[in-house]
Amino acid sequence: MSEVLHSRAEFHHGAGLKVEVSTNGPQGGDAGHGGWLEITLTNLTMMDMGDESGYRDRLVIKAGGDFEMALLASGLEWAGRELRRLTDTSVVAPE
């Protein structure tokens, strides 16, 4: 079994959000080879977030497979850039 890599950051700007990323890294193929990732968003204070079933204090995104990890990373990078472009929001650095 591969080592699990974990990183986290907290962001505060009126509300608080903790973002955690865990993965065992690329394992040489699709999810059947055992590679996985998990991204967790946790509401620390007054963060309105949710999914199609309502507001939540914690959201988890999971994916398996090497290409899926790369695709999710690329998609999230794009989403962050587009959100800043569309809303002209400033960058809040992690603490």
Side-chain angles (χ1 to χ4, degrees):
M1 177 146 195
S2 298
E3 174 185 5
V4 174
L5 307 171
H6 184 81
S7 185
R8 72 177 179 184
E10 291 187 10
F11 301 86
H12 299 273
H13 188 76
L17 176 68
K18 179 169 62 172
V19 180
E20 298 175 86
V21 178
S22 298
T23 183
N24 65 343
Q27 300 295 310
D30 63 14
H33 287 84
W36 59 269
L37 71 87
E38 183 174 290
I39 299 169
T40 304
L41 307 174
T42 304
N43 173 16
L44 298 176
T45 55
M46 301 175 1
M47 179 77 183
D48 288 338
M49 64 180 185
D51 57 24
E52 65 276 355
S53 60
Y55 286 102
R56 303 280 177 254
D57 283 331
R58 187 170 173 261
L59 296 172
V60 179
I61 300 169
K62 296 181 180 184
D66 296 359
F67 293 121
E68 292 81 354
M69 286 184 222
L71 286 171
L72 186 55
S74 295
L76 291 172
E77 288 171 350
W78 173 85
R81 284 191 312 271
E82 285 300 293
L83 181 59
R84 286 188 186 94
R85 183 182 70 79
L86 294 169
T87 62
D88 195 29
T89 56
S90 62
V91 175
V92 180
E95 296 180 352

